[in-house]
Amino acid sequence: MYKFKILIGFLFFLITVYNSAFAQSDTSLIKNYLKTLTKTPQFRNYSNIDQLNLTAGYITTVFKNSTDSVYAQEYTVDQKIYKNIICSFGTENKKRIIVGAHYDVCGDQEGADDNASGVIGLLELSRLLKGKKLDYRIDLVAYTLEEPPYFRTELMGSYIHAKSLKESKAEVFGMISLEMIGYFKDEAKTQSYPIGILSMKYGNKGNYITLVKKFGSGEFVNQFSKNFKTSKSILTKTFASPPSLPGIDFSDHLNYWKFDYDAMMITDTSFYRNKNYHQKTDTIETLDIQRMAKVIDGVYNGLISLKEN
């Protein structure tokens, strides 16, 4: 009986360690987050500043459930104040990692995949990171003004944030952009590419998540990508390319590249798969919540597996 109790105790210890290391995102929470972010009185685009502020306030509230280190980075465009919302974990560490996603939408649409899905990745990561001992500081950043008419301008929230890091001489190990992580299809011919021949390598089924990086990526991108794939949380494919290939820089990571930070994007490939992109049909009902949760698990496990050299 004594040996049996020892065995049970040891098994319980292993389960505890496993659960702490390999998180499981909460699909019920994800659904609630999606409803709150998308079913709003107004669409969360740049012209509806009141709705953007309400969304920023909601993100702030969720972040504050996990950490006391939450603040708004404000800046002015056409006499209106826009906000990036930032929360931090492991602030005792000097070297930091940025995980970002934009909360604004393009035009009059709910933007469930683009990009409520990415923002929900941040919200769930904040819950999973709560109280964890980390080797790096992790900043979760919800950006404003990623979409047109501000895309590729210095008024993008991610440009404002990346520039502030450079000006403050922050020690940034790397950056991840979560850009559309909730749309998956198992049927043939549901995946396209900027160059048709790529289907021979990556297949024509939209059933995987993509880790997008440019040629010559640094230590952070390579380590994180390896950790993400090792976790085996979801079918994953890595796509490396020159930045000139259409689509590879179509999100907030492009601004960190501008400031020479090691950055990457995690995506379901956007309009190369999801034909609801920038349409009114980009709604909750089109998303695969289970696989979206697995993507978030992969990000979490990839992050906590990074060790300071």
Side-chain angles (χ1 to χ4, degrees), residues 103-282:
Y103 63 88
D104 62 318
V105 299
C106 180
D108 292 342
Q109 54 152 311
E110 295 182 4
D113 196 25
D114 185 17
N115 188 31
S117 64
V119 174
I120 288 162
L122 301 183
L123 300 182
E124 266 296 86
L125 285 172
S126 71
R127 182 181 67 85
L128 298 172
L129 290 169
K130 181 179 181 179
K132 294 294 187 295
K133 177 65 178 175
L134 302 170
D135 285 354
Y136 295 93
R137 170 174 171 162
I138 297 177
D139 290 348
L140 307 180
V141 189
Y143 307 113
T144 189
L145 299 189
E146 188 268 359
E147 296 285 6
Y150 298 107
F151 185 63
R152 294 198 186 281
T153 75
E154 294 183 2
L155 298 177
M156 290 177 70
S158 53
Y159 184 92
I160 298 294
H161 183 254
K163 182 181 179 183
S164 71
L165 294 175
K166 182 63 70 172
E167 290 177 342
S168 66
K169 298 182 180 179
E171 191 173 348
V172 178
F173 186 32
M175 183 271 176
I176 300 166
S177 173
L178 302 181
E179 177 65 57
M180 302 178 65
I181 61 171
Y183 190 88
F184 299 87
K185 289 292 180 182
D186 294 310
E187 296 80 9
K189 299 182 180 180
T190 53
Q191 182 67 51
S192 60
Y193 301 91
I195 302 174
I197 196 172
L198 291 173
S199 64
M200 297 180 64
K201 178 178 180 180
Y202 295 98
N204 64 10
K205 296 180 180 179
N207 60 352
Y208 60 88
I209 198 71
T210 312
L211 308 183
V212 178
K213 57 184 181 178
K214 64 179 180 179
F215 289 152
S217 292
E219 180 183 1
F220 166 75
V221 167
N222 292 328
Q223 277 192 32
F224 174 85
S225 298
K226 180 180 178 180
N227 292 345
F228 187 102
K229 295 180 76 172
T230 299
S231 73
K232 299 184 183 301
S233 63
I234 188 170
L235 180 62
T236 305
K237 300 187 180 184
T238 302
F239 188 83
S241 163
S244 58
L245 190 70
I248 195 172
D249 67 347
F250 282 10
S251 192
D252 293 293
H253 59 300
L254 75 91
N255 289 313
Y256 295 83
W257 283 349
K258 288 179 181 178
F259 288 96
D260 296 322
Y261 293 125
D262 195 23
M264 64 182 295
M265 173 173 60
I266 300 178
T267 181
D268 57 26
T269 75
S270 183
F271 53 85
Y272 289 115
R273 178 186 305 173
N274 189 347
K275 304 312 176 185
N276 303 302
Y277 174 76
H278 286 183
Q279 303 296 319
K280 292 183 182 295
T281 51
D282 184 8

Side-chain angles (χ1 to χ4, degrees), residues 42-57 74-84 103-104 144-145 150:
Q42 295 179 299
F43 299 109
R44 56 187 197 279
N45 59 50
Y46 77 97
S47 61
N48 293 328
I49 187 67
D50 291 339
Q51 185 59 61
L52 283 181
N53 284 334
L54 286 172
T55 301
E74 299 182 349
Y75 65 102
T76 302
V77 180
D78 293 333
Q79 299 181 324
K80 296 178 181 178
I81 296 176
Y82 293 90
K83 303 173 183 177
N84 294 328
Y103 63 88
D104 62 318
T144 189
L145 299 189
Y150 298 107

